[in-house]
C-alpha cells in the first residue's frame, strides 16, 4: 500500500494533466448515503429505482419526497478530507479536471473549480414544461413544486437512469479523459455509463489509471494502481508534503 501510494504520488507530481472521476464513495465519509451500498435504501425503495424518468412519470410526489429527504440530509452535511484533498490537488496540477457523478455539491463547497457535475446538482430544479432551470437550496420543495414562470411541474435538476448527459458536459469530460496523463477513479462502483467508460478513454490515451475504493470494481483490472481504503484517508496522503 505504502509503495503504491508513493508511486502514485510520483506519477501525479510528474503529470501536468490530471483527471479525476468521483462517485458516491467520496461523500460517504460526509454521511451522504451511497447508491448501491447497504445505506442506499429509502423507505424500502432502492435509490436507483426512484432516480428514473419512469418513476417520476408514475409518481412525481414520491420522487420529490425522496429528493426532499436527500436535500434535507445533504444540506446538513459538509465536505470531508477527500473533497478537500481534491481541491488541493487542483491547485498543484496545471491542467486538472474533476469529473463527478455526485449531485451533492460538496466538491464545490470544498473549493474545486475545474469541476464537471455530469449527473447534475441536487439544488437545481428544472421545469418539465418550459425547461427553465432554477437554483434553490430550500431543503423541502414540497411534493409538487411548480415553475415560477409557467406553472409547469418542476423536476430535480439531476440526470436519471436512461437519460442522456448534457452533451457539452460529456464532451468536456471525454476531452479531459483523452488528454490526461493520470486519471484517478475514486469511490465509484464503475457500473454506470458513460461515466465508467471514461477510464477506458483515459487508458486508450496512454494515461496511468489509479483506483481508490473500499472494494474492487468491474474496472479494477484496468487499473495500473489499486488502492483499497477510504478516500478520506488516502487522498490527503497523496497531496501531503508536495513542496
Ligand atoms: P455507488 O453507490 O454505486 O458506489 C459507491 C462506491 O464507493 C462503491 O464502489 C463503494 O465501495 C465505494 N465507497 C464507499 N465508501 C467509500 C469510501 N469511504 N472511500 C472510498 N470508496 C468508498 O455510487 P456511484 O458509483 O457514484 O446516478 O453511482 C453512480 C451513479 O449511479 C450515481 O451518480 C447515480 C447512481 O444511480 C444517477 O443518479 C444518474
Amino acid at each position: 500500500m505504502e509503495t503504491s501510494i508513493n508511486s502514485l504520488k510520483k506519477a501525479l507530481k510528474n503529470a501536468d494533466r490530471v483527471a479525476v472521476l468521483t462517485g458516491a464513495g467520496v461523500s460517504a465519509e460526509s454521511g451522504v448515503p451511497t447508491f448501491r451500498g447497504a445505506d442506499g435504501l429509502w423507505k424500502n425503495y432502492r435509490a436507483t429505482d426512484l432516480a428514473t424518468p419512469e418513476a417520476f412519470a408514475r409518481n412525481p410526489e414520491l420522487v420529490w419526497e425522496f429528493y426532499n429527504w436527500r436535500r434535507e440530509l445533504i444540506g446538513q452535511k459538509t465536505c470531508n478530507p477527500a473533497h478537500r484533498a481534491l481541491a488541493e490537488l487542483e491547485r498543484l496540477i496545471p491542467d486538472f479536471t474533476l469529473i463527478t457523478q455526485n449531485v451533492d455539491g460538496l466538491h464545490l463547497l470544498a473549493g474545486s473549480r475545474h469541476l464537471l457535475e455530469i449527473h447534475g446538482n441536487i439544488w437545481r430544479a428544472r421545469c418539465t414544461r418550459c425547461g427553465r432551470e432554477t437554483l434553490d437550496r430550500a431543503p423541502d420543495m414540497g411534493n409538487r413544486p411548480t415553475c415560477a414562470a409557467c406553472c409547469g411541474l418542476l423536476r430535480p435538476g439531476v440526470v436519471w437512469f436512461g437519460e442522456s448527459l448534457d452533451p457539452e458536459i460529456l464532451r468536456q469530460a471525454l476531452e479531459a479523459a483523452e488528454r490526461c496523463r493520470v486519471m484517478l477513479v475514486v469511490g465509484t462502483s464503475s457500473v454506470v455509463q458513460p461515466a465508467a467508460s471514461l477510464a477506458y478513454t483515459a487508458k486508450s490515451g496512454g494515461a496511468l489509471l489509479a483506483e481508490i475504493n473500499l472494494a474492487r470494481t468491474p474496472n479494477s483490472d484496468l487499473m495500473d494502481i489499486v488502492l483499497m481504503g477510504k478516500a478520506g484517508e488516502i487522498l490527503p496522503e497523496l497531496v501531503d508534503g508536495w513542496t
Side-chain angles (χ1 to χ4, degrees), residues 146-158:
T146 51
C147 173
C150 77
C151 293
L153 177 64
L154 291 180
R155 57 160 284 174
V158 301

Side-chain angles (χ1 to χ4, degrees), residues 74-145:
I74 289 168
Q76 294 164 10
K77 307 299 178 195
T78 193
C79 42
N80 68 53
H83 298 110
R84 285 193 285 274
L86 289 174
E88 176 63 21
L89 194 58
E90 177 174 329
R91 286 188 276 274
L92 298 166
I93 310 274
D95 180 339
F96 180 92
T97 308
L98 175 52
I99 305 162
T100 188
Q101 297 164 87
N102 299 344
V103 299
D104 54 35
L106 292 180
H107 282 305
L108 262 177
L109 195 66
S112 288
R113 289 298 170 259
H114 289 117
L115 175 66
L116 300 173
E117 291 180 312
I118 61 171
H119 288 168
N121 186 296
I122 198 160
W123 303 111
R124 289 187 181 282
R126 190 167 68 249
C127 179
T128 54
R129 189 185 291 164
C130 71
R132 184 173 182 255
E133 273 219 357
T134 46
L135 194 64
D136 192 334
R137 287 190 69 94
D140 188 352
M141 297 283 285
N143 283 0
R144 226 185 148 81

Side-chain angles (χ1 to χ4, degrees), residues 48-83:
T48 46
D49 289 342
L50 292 169
T52 69
E54 293 77 21
F56 189 70
R58 217 172 23 241
N59 194 342
E61 289 84 1
L62 177 71
V63 173
W64 264 116
E65 204 189 322
F66 167 64
Y67 276 93
N68 285 331
W69 169 75
R70 280 190 72 90
R71 287 165 73 100
E72 172 121 37
L73 184 135
I74 289 168
Q76 294 164 10
K77 307 299 178 195
T78 193
C79 42
N80 68 53
H83 298 110

